[in-house]
Amino acid sequence: MPDGPAFSPVRVFVPAGQLGAGVRADEVVTAIERGFDVIALDAGSTDSGAAYLAAGVSKNSRDAVKADLRLLMTAQARSRAPLLVGTAGQAGADPNVDWTLEIVAEVAREEGLTPRVAALYSELAAETLKAKNAAGKVRSLPPLGALDDATIDSCAHIVALMGVEPYIAALEAGADILIGGRSTDTAVLASYPIWRGAHAGAAWHAGKTGECGAQCTANVNLGSGVILAIDRSGFEVEPLHPATRCTVQSVSAHMLYENSNPFRLTEPGGVLDVTAARYEQVSEVRVRVEGSVWEPRPYTMKLEGASAGRYQTVMIVGIADPQVLANLDLFHDRMHHVLTRRIERTMGARAGAFDVSLRIYGWNAVTGGPVPKEAAPPREVGVMCVITAESQNLADQMAKACNPYFFHMPLSDGVELPSYGFPFSPAEIPRGQVFEFRLNHVVELDDPLELVRTRWIDLATATEGADA
Amino acid sequence: MPRLRDVCRNVRSKVAGPFWITVDAFFDGAESYRAHHAKLQPAALAPLLQTEAAMIEVYPVEPLCMVKISYPRAAPQGGMVERDMHSGQQYVRLLDLELD
């Protein structure tokens, strides 16, 4: 870490909680007026489920990501401050990164920009992980147990979460724009300040505070971004929207967000400990934080892996029939029995392993638990039938076979057949595969860059070539 | 006998990675926090969260008058019978927890 009294705080412009969430043009103008050294944000998370990793696709729309990139790449070119994007394309696997790079190249062409782009990839081949596992370098995190080859093979994509080192290496080599694969949200924001010699604990804590943009402000519905200023002993955070403010409460409470431990956060190469952090309101809108500690540890990267499994088809009916509403548990059990028998009878062994799940919305679909005996009947319910089978075609065929029963099943025998309220025709909706996270492990490494690949794309050359 | 919902200004839940759920219970002031936070113990929470007490982590955060409760999901996020992808509704099961 460089010495000297003349260390000016490193200013990180975090324009939004996520690329594609809606960067605000007015906040970009404000940020340029106030000044910054780097633009940093993430573009994804595991929160929305395993589909985006397993399929290698984005959750955000292409147009939304492109609109944000246009604002940020233009700001990058004007300010000459590097632009860092982590966890590109929602999951940060190789196809997610490439999808984002294509948009970056498109914006550069349209706007006449000539940045030097570094793409950081951290997807792992199954064989690479098996070798690490065989060498005893993979540790499980609760609640999962030891890793086996079959679990590794079940994953469609495996990524390792990058820390600050790959970003710092690319900054060192002169990147204007860094499009990172899967990274910790914190690392994307902390890497530039750490590279510039800011206090490590403060940089990591600032990164955690700013990871969701304006979420650390008092009014999360106002504005999108924040500016973090990290110095040699702490950091300050302020919002960009003029009508909101950061408060001691709003900033300290963000350590709680989507985090199992509010005091300690494990990152690649260490642990951020904020137990002794002190928060101070230094202006109407700005909070200063000191006392955050970075504890270096042997280097590890967390792993994420997602599988694409069986296929589902969905049907929905609405029911307002008072008789059914007064006997919903009986109705559920009877319907489940009838649909399962119907599939067995019509398809026999061809059905393979299948599952019928009925969720009664308005009753207990969300909790899945028993409803107290004394509960009053709801006014109406929606019943979702989810059929899971080994192929989409099989799941569709099962839904078609079940359709008349799902539509007409009476509460008891010997009555006229009721007709429940289908909202669609055809009634069955092919939903695609069940995507699941399979890994909750870390890999131990001597070299933080060992599993990372960096690719350079010189859009200046590409543009000249295209123009000539 | 107060229930959790009577002494908290906000209770929320969310995924903390694909394998864990975290619940944040913000008490309605320092007095409520002091009087009741110690009742939020793994043994009392285990039946409601349907997991082993040994797997439940409880973190009192005094400056914020809140308690964070983290526990493993019964099934990893997004499985065949997923009912609450982001676990945003899981706090509800704690609202009627009696605190005396």
Side-chain angles (χ1 to χ4, degrees), chain A residues 395-429:
Chain A
D396 291 351
Q397 292 304 317
M398 290 175 193
K400 286 175 195 287
C402 288
N403 177 316
Y405 295 80
F406 189 54
F407 180 40
H408 287 305
M409 189 200 80
L411 192 60
S412 54
D413 295 331
V415 297
E416 189 186 344
L417 290 186
S419 297
Y420 305 123
F422 268 137
F424 309 116
S425 172
E428 76 279 3
I429 308 167

PDB file of all heavy atoms in Angstrom, chain A residues 395-429:
ATOM      1  N   ALA A 395     -44.714 -34.309 -20.587  1.00  0.00           N
ATOM      2  CA  ALA A 395     -45.439 -33.453 -19.640  1.00  0.00           C
ATOM      3  C   ALA A 395     -46.663 -32.843 -20.316  1.00  0.00           C
ATOM      4  O   ALA A 395     -47.754 -32.771 -19.722  1.00  0.00           O
ATOM      5  CB  ALA A 395     -44.509 -32.364 -19.107  1.00  0.00           C
ATOM      6  N   ASP A 396     -46.502 -32.428 -21.574  1.00  0.00           N
ATOM      7  CA  ASP A 396     -47.646 -31.869 -22.323  1.00  0.00           C
ATOM      8  C   ASP A 396     -48.745 -32.919 -22.506  1.00  0.00           C
ATOM      9  O   ASP A 396     -49.931 -32.634 -22.334  1.00  0.00           O
ATOM     10  CB  ASP A 396     -47.190 -31.382 -23.709  1.00  0.00           C
ATOM     11  CG  ASP A 396     -46.290 -30.158 -23.634  1.00  0.00           C
ATOM     12  OD1 ASP A 396     -46.154 -29.573 -22.544  1.00  0.00           O
ATOM     13  OD2 ASP A 396     -45.720 -29.795 -24.685  1.00  0.00           O
ATOM     14  N   GLN A 397     -48.335 -34.140 -22.871  1.00  0.00           N
ATOM     15  CA  GLN A 397     -49.317 -35.219 -23.088  1.00  0.00           C
ATOM     16  C   GLN A 397     -50.069 -35.528 -21.793  1.00  0.00           C
ATOM     17  O   GLN A 397     -51.269 -35.792 -21.798  1.00  0.00           O
ATOM     18  CB  GLN A 397     -48.615 -36.487 -23.602  1.00  0.00           C
ATOM     19  CG  GLN A 397     -48.038 -36.357 -24.999  1.00  0.00           C
ATOM     20  CD  GLN A 397     -49.088 -35.947 -26.023  1.00  0.00           C
ATOM     21  OE1 GLN A 397     -50.203 -36.450 -26.019  1.00  0.00           O
ATOM     22  NE2 GLN A 397     -48.739 -34.991 -26.869  1.00  0.00           N
ATOM     23  N   MET A 398     -49.364 -35.513 -20.678  1.00  0.00           N
ATOM     24  CA  MET A 398     -50.020 -35.775 -19.377  1.00  0.00           C
ATOM     25  C   MET A 398     -51.026 -34.678 -19.067  1.00  0.00           C
ATOM     26  O   MET A 398     -52.132 -34.946 -18.591  1.00  0.00           O
ATOM     27  CB  MET A 398     -48.967 -35.839 -18.267  1.00  0.00           C
ATOM     28  CG  MET A 398     -48.100 -37.080 -18.360  1.00  0.00           C
ATOM     29  SD  MET A 398     -46.787 -37.038 -17.120  1.00  0.00           S
ATOM     30  CE  MET A 398     -45.753 -38.364 -17.739  1.00  0.00           C
ATOM     31  N   ALA A 399     -50.653 -33.436 -19.344  1.00  0.00           N
ATOM     32  CA  ALA A 399     -51.573 -32.333 -19.070  1.00  0.00           C
ATOM     33  C   ALA A 399     -52.823 -32.448 -19.942  1.00  0.00           C
ATOM     34  O   ALA A 399     -53.955 -32.263 -19.470  1.00  0.00           O
ATOM     35  CB  ALA A 399     -50.875 -30.999 -19.316  1.00  0.00           C
ATOM     36  N   LYS A 400     -52.619 -32.810 -21.194  1.00  0.00           N
ATOM     37  CA  LYS A 400     -53.771 -32.974 -22.095  1.00  0.00           C
ATOM     38  C   LYS A 400     -54.684 -34.087 -21.600  1.00  0.00           C
ATOM     39  O   LYS A 400     -55.912 -33.968 -21.634  1.00  0.00           O
ATOM     40  CB  LYS A 400     -53.297 -33.278 -23.529  1.00  0.00           C
ATOM     41  CG  LYS A 400     -52.717 -32.065 -24.265  1.00  0.00           C
ATOM     42  CD  LYS A 400     -52.179 -32.513 -25.627  1.00  0.00           C
ATOM     43  CE  LYS A 400     -51.266 -31.475 -26.265  1.00  0.00           C
ATOM     44  NZ  LYS A 400     -51.980 -30.308 -26.773  1.00  0.00           N
ATOM     45  N   ALA A 401     -54.063 -35.177 -21.126  1.00  0.00           N
ATOM     46  CA  ALA A 401     -54.863 -36.302 -20.614  1.00  0.00           C
ATOM     47  C   ALA A 401     -55.636 -35.882 -19.361  1.00  0.00           C
ATOM     48  O   ALA A 401     -56.767 -36.320 -19.125  1.00  0.00           O
ATOM     49  CB  ALA A 401     -53.949 -37.494 -20.303  1.00  0.00           C
ATOM     50  N   CYS A 402     -55.046 -35.026 -18.560  1.00  0.00           N
ATOM     51  CA  CYS A 402     -55.674 -34.598 -17.309  1.00  0.00           C
ATOM     52  C   CYS A 402     -56.702 -33.484 -17.524  1.00  0.00           C
ATOM     53  O   CYS A 402     -57.558 -33.254 -16.657  1.00  0.00           O
ATOM     54  CB  CYS A 402     -54.612 -34.096 -16.334  1.00  0.00           C
ATOM     55  SG  CYS A 402     -53.591 -35.401 -15.646  1.00  0.00           S
ATOM     56  N   ASN A 403     -56.604 -32.793 -18.626  1.00  0.00           N
ATOM     57  CA  ASN A 403     -57.402 -31.589 -18.847  1.00  0.00           C
ATOM     58  C   ASN A 403     -58.883 -31.744 -18.471  1.00  0.00           C
ATOM     59  O   ASN A 403     -59.399 -30.968 -17.656  1.00  0.00           O
ATOM     60  CB  ASN A 403     -57.205 -31.138 -20.310  1.00  0.00           C
ATOM     61  CG  ASN A 403     -58.033 -29.928 -20.682  1.00  0.00           C
ATOM     62  OD1 ASN A 403     -59.212 -29.850 -20.338  1.00  0.00           O
ATOM     63  ND2 ASN A 403     -57.431 -28.979 -21.386  1.00  0.00           N
ATOM     64  N   PRO A 404     -59.614 -32.750 -19.019  1.00  0.00           N
ATOM     65  CA  PRO A 404     -61.045 -32.816 -18.692  1.00  0.00           C
ATOM     66  C   PRO A 404     -61.330 -33.044 -17.210  1.00  0.00           C
ATOM     67  O   PRO A 404     -62.349 -32.570 -16.697  1.00  0.00           O
ATOM     68  CB  PRO A 404     -61.549 -33.991 -19.539  1.00  0.00           C
ATOM     69  CG  PRO A 404     -60.350 -34.680 -20.072  1.00  0.00           C
ATOM     70  CD  PRO A 404     -59.195 -33.749 -20.003  1.00  0.00           C
ATOM     71  N   TYR A 405     -60.422 -33.721 -16.514  1.00  0.00           N
ATOM     72  CA  TYR A 405     -60.631 -33.996 -15.080  1.00  0.00           C
ATOM     73  C   TYR A 405     -60.330 -32.754 -14.240  1.00  0.00           C
ATOM     74  O   TYR A 405     -61.016 -32.434 -13.282  1.00  0.00           O
ATOM     75  CB  TYR A 405     -59.758 -35.186 -14.649  1.00  0.00           C
ATOM     76  CG  TYR A 405     -60.168 -36.461 -15.332  1.00  0.00           C
ATOM     77  CD1 TYR A 405     -59.765 -36.747 -16.637  1.00  0.00           C
ATOM     78  CD2 TYR A 405     -61.015 -37.372 -14.692  1.00  0.00           C
ATOM     79  CE1 TYR A 405     -60.176 -37.894 -17.281  1.00  0.00           C
ATOM     80  CE2 TYR A 405     -61.430 -38.529 -15.329  1.00  0.00           C
ATOM     81  CZ  TYR A 405     -61.006 -38.780 -16.631  1.00  0.00           C
ATOM     82  OH  TYR A 405     -61.429 -39.925 -17.256  1.00  0.00           O
ATOM     83  N   PHE A 406     -59.268 -32.082 -14.647  1.00  0.00           N
ATOM     84  CA  PHE A 406     -58.894 -30.849 -13.958  1.00  0.00           C
ATOM     85  C   PHE A 406     -60.010 -29.804 -14.118  1.00  0.00           C
ATOM     86  O   PHE A 406     -60.294 -29.006 -13.231  1.00  0.00           O
ATOM     87  CB  PHE A 406     -57.583 -30.329 -14.566  1.00  0.00           C
ATOM     88  CG  PHE A 406     -56.933 -29.178 -13.833  1.00  0.00           C
ATOM     89  CD1 PHE A 406     -56.645 -29.267 -12.477  1.00  0.00           C
ATOM     90  CD2 PHE A 406     -56.584 -28.014 -14.505  1.00  0.00           C
ATOM     91  CE1 PHE A 406     -56.029 -28.205 -11.807  1.00  0.00           C
ATOM     92  CE2 PHE A 406     -55.969 -26.952 -13.845  1.00  0.00           C
ATOM     93  CZ  PHE A 406     -55.705 -27.051 -12.495  1.00  0.00           C
ATOM     94  N   PHE A 407     -60.680 -29.867 -15.255  1.00  0.00           N
ATOM     95  CA  PHE A 407     -61.717 -28.906 -15.622  1.00  0.00           C
ATOM     96  C   PHE A 407     -63.064 -29.237 -14.982  1.00  0.00           C
ATOM     97  O   PHE A 407     -63.801 -28.349 -14.570  1.00  0.00           O
ATOM     98  CB  PHE A 407     -61.815 -28.942 -17.157  1.00  0.00           C
ATOM     99  CG  PHE A 407     -62.821 -28.024 -17.784  1.00  0.00           C
ATOM    100  CD1 PHE A 407     -63.028 -26.734 -17.316  1.00  0.00           C
ATOM    101  CD2 PHE A 407     -63.551 -28.460 -18.887  1.00  0.00           C
ATOM    102  CE1 PHE A 407     -63.953 -25.888 -17.939  1.00  0.00           C
ATOM    103  CE2 PHE A 407     -64.473 -27.615 -19.497  1.00  0.00           C
ATOM    104  CZ  PHE A 407     -64.679 -26.330 -19.019  1.00  0.00           C
ATOM    105  N   HIS A 408     -63.364 -30.539 -14.842  1.00  0.00           N
ATOM    106  CA  HIS A 408     -64.737 -30.954 -14.522  1.00  0.00           C
ATOM    107  C   HIS A 408     -64.878 -31.759 -13.232  1.00  0.00           C
ATOM    108  O   HIS A 408     -65.988 -32.195 -12.926  1.00  0.00           O
ATOM    109  CB  HIS A 408     -65.279 -31.869 -15.638  1.00  0.00           C
ATOM    110  CG  HIS A 408     -65.611 -31.178 -16.920  1.00  0.00           C
ATOM    111  ND1 HIS A 408     -66.472 -30.115 -17.010  1.00  0.00           N
ATOM    112  CD2 HIS A 408     -65.228 -31.442 -18.197  1.00  0.00           C
ATOM    113  CE1 HIS A 408     -66.595 -29.741 -18.279  1.00  0.00           C
ATOM    114  NE2 HIS A 408     -65.836 -30.530 -19.020  1.00  0.00           N
ATOM    115  N   MET A 409     -63.818 -32.048 -12.516  1.00  0.00           N
ATOM    116  CA  MET A 409     -63.959 -33.002 -11.411  1.00  0.00           C
ATOM    117  C   MET A 409     -64.903 -32.468 -10.321  1.00  0.00           C
ATOM    118  O   MET A 409     -64.645 -31.413  -9.744  1.00  0.00           O
ATOM    119  CB  MET A 409     -62.597 -33.324 -10.776  1.00  0.00           C
ATOM    120  CG  MET A 409     -62.683 -34.472  -9.779  1.00  0.00           C
ATOM    121  SD  MET A 409     -61.292 -34.503  -8.634  1.00  0.00           S
ATOM    122  CE  MET A 409     -61.808 -33.251  -7.474  1.00  0.00           C
ATOM    123  N   PRO A 410     -65.969 -33.209 -10.029  1.00  0.00           N
ATOM    124  CA  PRO A 410     -66.880 -32.754  -8.965  1.00  0.00           C
ATOM    125  C   PRO A 410     -66.308 -33.104  -7.595  1.00  0.00           C
ATOM    126  O   PRO A 410     -65.434 -33.950  -7.468  1.00  0.00           O
ATOM    127  CB  PRO A 410     -68.160 -33.535  -9.241  1.00  0.00           C
ATOM    128  CG  PRO A 410     -67.690 -34.789  -9.908  1.00  0.00           C
ATOM    129  CD  PRO A 410     -66.426 -34.465 -10.649  1.00  0.00           C
ATOM    130  N   LEU A 411     -66.851 -32.466  -6.597  1.00  0.00           N
ATOM    131  CA  LEU A 411     -66.412 -32.734  -5.235  1.00  0.00           C
ATOM    132  C   LEU A 411     -66.831 -34.130  -4.778  1.00  0.00           C
ATOM    133  O   LEU A 411     -66.135 -34.779  -4.010  1.00  0.00           O
ATOM    134  CB  LEU A 411     -67.003 -31.666  -4.310  1.00  0.00           C
ATOM    135  CG  LEU A 411     -66.460 -31.594  -2.898  1.00  0.00           C
ATOM    136  CD1 LEU A 411     -64.962 -31.303  -2.889  1.00  0.00           C
ATOM    137  CD2 LEU A 411     -67.199 -30.502  -2.126  1.00  0.00           C
ATOM    138  N   SER A 412     -68.000 -34.592  -5.253  1.00  0.00           N
ATOM    139  CA  SER A 412     -68.454 -35.941  -4.895  1.00  0.00           C
ATOM    140  C   SER A 412     -69.098 -36.580  -6.115  1.00  0.00           C
ATOM    141  O   SER A 412     -69.463 -35.893  -7.075  1.00  0.00           O
ATOM    142  CB  SER A 412     -69.449 -35.868  -3.737  1.00  0.00           C
ATOM    143  OG  SER A 412     -70.488 -34.981  -4.065  1.00  0.00           O
ATOM    144  N   ASP A 413     -69.251 -37.918  -6.055  1.00  0.00           N
ATOM    145  CA  ASP A 413     -69.812 -38.640  -7.194  1.00  0.00           C
ATOM    146  C   ASP A 413     -71.320 -38.389  -7.296  1.00  0.00           C
ATOM    147  O   ASP A 413     -71.958 -37.993  -6.330  1.00  0.00           O
ATOM    148  CB  ASP A 413     -69.568 -40.152  -7.030  1.00  0.00           C
ATOM    149  CG  ASP A 413     -68.075 -40.460  -7.067  1.00  0.00           C
ATOM    150  OD1 ASP A 413     -67.343 -39.690  -7.739  1.00  0.00           O
ATOM    151  OD2 ASP A 413     -67.651 -41.432  -6.423  1.00  0.00           O
ATOM    152  N   GLY A 414     -71.845 -38.638  -8.498  1.00  0.00           N
ATOM    153  CA  GLY A 414     -73.289 -38.629  -8.688  1.00  0.00           C
ATOM    154  C   GLY A 414     -73.915 -37.257  -8.801  1.00  0.00           C
ATOM    155  O   GLY A 414     -75.126 -37.093  -8.631  1.00  0.00           O
ATOM    156  N   VAL A 415     -73.102 -36.232  -9.079  1.00  0.00           N
ATOM    157  CA  VAL A 415     -73.680 -34.898  -9.294  1.00  0.00           C
ATOM    158  C   VAL A 415     -73.346 -34.472 -10.723  1.00  0.00           C
ATOM    159  O   VAL A 415     -72.492 -35.043 -11.384  1.00  0.00           O
ATOM    160  CB  VAL A 415     -73.115 -33.848  -8.296  1.00  0.00           C
ATOM    161  CG1 VAL A 415     -73.483 -34.209  -6.881  1.00  0.00           C
ATOM    162  CG2 VAL A 415     -71.613 -33.713  -8.449  1.00  0.00           C
ATOM    163  N   GLU A 416     -74.056 -33.454 -11.177  1.00  0.00           N
ATOM    164  CA  GLU A 416     -73.777 -32.918 -12.505  1.00  0.00           C
ATOM    165  C   GLU A 416     -72.343 -32.393 -12.537  1.00  0.00           C
ATOM    166  O   GLU A 416     -71.866 -31.828 -11.549  1.00  0.00           O
ATOM    167  CB  GLU A 416     -74.756 -31.776 -12.802  1.00  0.00           C
ATOM    168  CG  GLU A 416     -74.690 -31.312 -14.238  1.00  0.00           C
ATOM    169  CD  GLU A 416     -75.566 -30.087 -14.487  1.00  0.00           C
ATOM    170  OE1 GLU A 416     -76.439 -29.793 -13.625  1.00  0.00           O
ATOM    171  OE2 GLU A 416     -75.376 -29.439 -15.510  1.00  0.00           O
ATOM    172  N   LEU A 417     -71.651 -32.584 -13.667  1.00  0.00           N
ATOM    173  CA  LEU A 417     -70.247 -32.170 -13.732  1.00  0.00           C
ATOM    174  C   LEU A 417     -70.129 -30.650 -13.740  1.00  0.00           C
ATOM    175  O   LEU A 417     -70.719 -29.990 -14.583  1.00  0.00           O
ATOM    176  CB  LEU A 417     -69.587 -32.733 -14.997  1.00  0.00           C
ATOM    177  CG  LEU A 417     -69.356 -34.250 -15.041  1.00  0.00           C
ATOM    178  CD1 LEU A 417     -68.563 -34.612 -16.301  1.00  0.00           C
ATOM    179  CD2 LEU A 417     -68.628 -34.746 -13.795  1.00  0.00           C
ATOM    180  N   PRO A 418     -69.354 -30.102 -12.812  1.00  0.00           N
ATOM    181  CA  PRO A 418     -69.116 -28.662 -12.841  1.00  0.00           C
ATOM    182  C   PRO A 418     -68.074 -28.316 -13.929  1.00  0.00           C
ATOM    183  O   PRO A 418     -67.384 -29.202 -14.426  1.00  0.00           O
ATOM    184  CB  PRO A 418     -68.535 -28.383 -11.448  1.00  0.00           C
ATOM    185  CG  PRO A 418     -67.866 -29.660 -11.054  1.00  0.00           C
ATOM    186  CD  PRO A 418     -68.627 -30.772 -11.713  1.00  0.00           C
ATOM    187  N   SER A 419     -67.972 -27.069 -14.285  1.00  0.00           N
ATOM    188  CA  SER A 419     -66.921 -26.591 -15.198  1.00  0.00           C
ATOM    189  C   SER A 419     -66.224 -25.424 -14.516  1.00  0.00           C
ATOM    190  O   SER A 419     -66.843 -24.401 -14.248  1.00  0.00           O
ATOM    191  CB  SER A 419     -67.526 -26.112 -16.524  1.00  0.00           C
ATOM    192  OG  SER A 419     -68.167 -27.182 -17.184  1.00  0.00           O
ATOM    193  N   TYR A 420     -64.953 -25.600 -14.237  1.00  0.00           N
ATOM    194  CA  TYR A 420     -64.210 -24.538 -13.557  1.00  0.00           C
ATOM    195  C   TYR A 420     -63.664 -23.540 -14.577  1.00  0.00           C
ATOM    196  O   TYR A 420     -63.740 -23.751 -15.786  1.00  0.00           O
ATOM    197  CB  TYR A 420     -63.101 -25.148 -12.691  1.00  0.00           C
ATOM    198  CG  TYR A 420     -63.641 -26.173 -11.708  1.00  0.00           C
ATOM    199  CD1 TYR A 420     -63.165 -27.475 -11.699  1.00  0.00           C
ATOM    200  CD2 TYR A 420     -64.667 -25.825 -10.829  1.00  0.00           C
ATOM    201  CE1 TYR A 420     -63.672 -28.410 -10.809  1.00  0.00           C
ATOM    202  CE2 TYR A 420     -65.181 -26.759  -9.942  1.00  0.00           C
ATOM    203  CZ  TYR A 420     -64.689 -28.056  -9.942  1.00  0.00           C
ATOM    204  OH  TYR A 420     -65.205 -28.987  -9.072  1.00  0.00           O
ATOM    205  N   GLY A 421     -63.094 -22.457 -14.075  1.00  0.00           N
ATOM    206  CA  GLY A 421     -62.747 -21.338 -14.959  1.00  0.00           C
ATOM    207  C   GLY A 421     -61.338 -21.401 -15.516  1.00  0.00           C
ATOM    208  O   GLY A 421     -60.383 -20.940 -14.884  1.00  0.00           O
ATOM    209  N   PHE A 422     -61.204 -21.951 -16.720  1.00  0.00           N
ATOM    210  CA  PHE A 422     -59.900 -21.908 -17.398  1.00  0.00           C
ATOM    211  C   PHE A 422     -59.642 -20.489 -17.909  1.00  0.00           C
ATOM    212  O   PHE A 422     -60.519 -19.894 -18.541  1.00  0.00           O
ATOM    213  CB  PHE A 422     -59.904 -22.843 -18.618  1.00  0.00           C
ATOM    214  CG  PHE A 422     -59.430 -24.244 -18.348  1.00  0.00           C
ATOM    215  CD1 PHE A 422     -60.102 -25.342 -18.894  1.00  0.00           C
ATOM    216  CD2 PHE A 422     -58.284 -24.483 -17.605  1.00  0.00           C
ATOM    217  CE1 PHE A 422     -59.653 -26.637 -18.681  1.00  0.00           C
ATOM    218  CE2 PHE A 422     -57.837 -25.781 -17.382  1.00  0.00           C
ATOM    219  CZ  PHE A 422     -58.528 -26.847 -17.919  1.00  0.00           C
ATOM    220  N   PRO A 423     -58.473 -19.945 -17.705  1.00  0.00           N
ATOM    221  CA  PRO A 423     -58.190 -18.607 -18.258  1.00  0.00           C
ATOM    222  C   PRO A 423     -57.643 -18.633 -19.687  1.00  0.00           C
ATOM    223  O   PRO A 423     -57.587 -17.592 -20.332  1.00  0.00           O
ATOM    224  CB  PRO A 423     -57.124 -18.058 -17.295  1.00  0.00           C
ATOM    225  CG  PRO A 423     -56.430 -19.259 -16.751  1.00  0.00           C
ATOM    226  CD  PRO A 423     -57.405 -20.405 -16.809  1.00  0.00           C
ATOM    227  N   PHE A 424     -57.211 -19.787 -20.181  1.00  0.00           N
ATOM    228  CA  PHE A 424     -56.543 -19.849 -21.485  1.00  0.00           C
ATOM    229  C   PHE A 424     -57.071 -21.018 -22.303  1.00  0.00           C
ATOM    230  O   PHE A 424     -57.564 -22.001 -21.759  1.00  0.00           O
ATOM    231  CB  PHE A 424     -55.034 -20.088 -21.321  1.00  0.00           C
ATOM    232  CG  PHE A 424     -54.351 -19.152 -20.361  1.00  0.00           C
ATOM    233  CD1 PHE A 424     -53.769 -19.641 -19.193  1.00  0.00           C
ATOM    234  CD2 PHE A 424     -54.277 -17.796 -20.627  1.00  0.00           C
ATOM    235  CE1 PHE A 424     -53.118 -18.788 -18.317  1.00  0.00           C
ATOM    236  CE2 PHE A 424     -53.630 -16.937 -19.753  1.00  0.00           C
ATOM    237  CZ  PHE A 424     -53.062 -17.433 -18.596  1.00  0.00           C
ATOM    238  N   SER A 425     -56.892 -20.919 -23.602  1.00  0.00           N
ATOM    239  CA  SER A 425     -57.054 -22.067 -24.489  1.00  0.00           C
ATOM    240  C   SER A 425     -55.950 -22.017 -25.526  1.00  0.00           C
ATOM    241  O   SER A 425     -55.771 -20.982 -26.158  1.00  0.00           O
ATOM    242  CB  SER A 425     -58.413 -22.024 -25.185  1.00  0.00           C
ATOM    243  OG  SER A 425     -58.473 -23.048 -26.169  1.00  0.00           O
ATOM    244  N   PRO A 426     -55.173 -23.061 -25.718  1.00  0.00           N
ATOM    245  CA  PRO A 426     -55.222 -24.313 -24.947  1.00  0.00           C
ATOM    246  C   PRO A 426     -54.867 -24.062 -23.478  1.00  0.00           C
ATOM    247  O   PRO A 426     -54.187 -23.091 -23.162  1.00  0.00           O
ATOM    248  CB  PRO A 426     -54.170 -25.188 -25.630  1.00  0.00           C
ATOM    249  CG  PRO A 426     -53.249 -24.248 -26.327  1.00  0.00           C
ATOM    250  CD  PRO A 426     -54.094 -23.063 -26.726  1.00  0.00           C
ATOM    251  N   ALA A 427     -55.356 -24.966 -22.646  1.00  0.00           N
ATOM    252  CA  ALA A 427     -55.223 -24.750 -21.195  1.00  0.00           C
ATOM    253  C   ALA A 427     -53.826 -25.044 -20.681  1.00  0.00           C
ATOM    254  O   ALA A 427     -53.410 -24.482 -19.673  1.00  0.00           O
ATOM    255  CB  ALA A 427     -56.236 -25.619 -20.468  1.00  0.00           C
ATOM    256  N   GLU A 428     -53.095 -25.926 -21.370  1.00  0.00           N
ATOM    257  CA  GLU A 428     -51.784 -26.312 -20.837  1.00  0.00           C
ATOM    258  C   GLU A 428     -50.686 -25.380 -21.357  1.00  0.00           C
ATOM    259  O   GLU A 428     -50.708 -24.946 -22.508  1.00  0.00           O
ATOM    260  CB  GLU A 428     -51.470 -27.782 -21.142  1.00  0.00           C
ATOM    261  CG  GLU A 428     -51.063 -28.101 -22.552  1.00  0.00           C
ATOM    262  CD  GLU A 428     -52.245 -28.227 -23.510  1.00  0.00           C
ATOM    263  OE1 GLU A 428     -53.401 -28.019 -23.101  1.00  0.00           O
ATOM    264  OE2 GLU A 428     -51.995 -28.516 -24.704  1.00  0.00           O
ATOM    265  N   ILE A 429     -49.747 -25.076 -20.476  1.00  0.00           N
ATOM    266  CA  ILE A 429     -48.638 -24.172 -20.800  1.00  0.00           C
ATOM    267  C   ILE A 429     -47.331 -24.938 -20.623  1.00  0.00           C
ATOM    268  O   ILE A 429     -46.939 -25.242 -19.490  1.00  0.00           O
ATOM    269  CB  ILE A 429     -48.635 -22.954 -19.847  1.00  0.00           C
ATOM    270  CG1 ILE A 429     -50.006 -22.273 -19.812  1.00  0.00           C
ATOM    271  CG2 ILE A 429     -47.538 -21.956 -20.247  1.00  0.00           C
ATOM    272  CD1 ILE A 429     -50.164 -21.283 -18.670  1.00  0.00           C
TER     273      ILE A 429
END
